[in-house]
Amino acid sequence: MKFLIAPLFIASLTAFPVQADDLDQAAKDVCGCLAQPYAELEKALQAVKTDKGNDLSSLMNSKDELTKMMEATQTCMEDLRKQYPEIEADKALQKQVMEKTRQYCPNPLETLDLKAPAVPAA
């Protein structure tokens, strides 16, 4: 009889739907993965609005750093897929997490205002 309890317990755990708190936490975790790339993107966008945006040499010099950062971000996202398998397996849940992620940490490209006046260079 004991050998039947464990499988039933595990099956009952997987039968519960994903809670809203789980989706919120997953979105916050995604934001954690995106924090550094978004910060770098924001710096690059600000540079484009100033005279510094014309200097591509600094961007090319940081190519290796950008590659390492993107690899770390990809690893972080892969870890989240393992941490949240129920979300990984459900497209509707993935969409909800992405919507919450946009609320918690909007992509700088999505909030870019091209009509904003250029910030004077310091």
Side-chain angles (χ1 to χ4, degrees):
M1 185 71 162
K2 286 184 181 180
F3 60 90
L4 290 177
I5 294 173
L8 288 175
F9 178 71
I10 292 169
S12 68
L13 287 178
T14 59
F16 290 114
V18 175
Q19 301 295 318
D21 290 345
D22 296 333
L23 297 177
D24 283 336
Q25 187 58 52
K28 289 175 184 176
D29 291 344
V30 170
C31 286
C33 291
L34 296 175
Q36 187 177 6
Y38 278 7
E40 292 298 320
L41 181 57
E42 187 67 39
K43 282 195 311 190
L45 291 172
Q46 289 303 319
V48 168
K49 291 181 179 181
T50 66
D51 291 337
K52 294 177 185 177
N54 296 328
D55 182 15
L56 294 178
S57 62
S58 62
L59 182 61
M60 294 309 292
N61 290 337
S62 62
K63 187 172 108 175
D64 289 337
E65 291 175 32
L66 290 173
T67 300
K68 289 177 187 176
M69 179 187 56
M70 294 310 293
E71 288 172 356
T73 302
Q74 184 176 359
T75 299
C76 183
M77 296 298 279
E78 288 170 4
D79 290 344
L80 290 181
R81 287 184 191 99
K82 293 174 189 171
Q83 184 177 347
Y84 298 102
E86 66 281 358
I87 295 172
E88 175 63 16
D90 188 327
K91 297 287 186 199
L93 292 176
Q94 290 174 24
K95 183 177 178 185
Q96 290 177 41
V97 169
M98 291 313 298
E99 288 170 2
K100 289 178 180 290
T101 299
R102 284 186 188 96
Q103 292 172 357
Y104 294 132
C105 57
N107 183 336
L109 289 176
E110 292 176 355
T111 60
L112 178 63
D113 182 6
L114 294 175
K115 295 180 183 176
V119 177

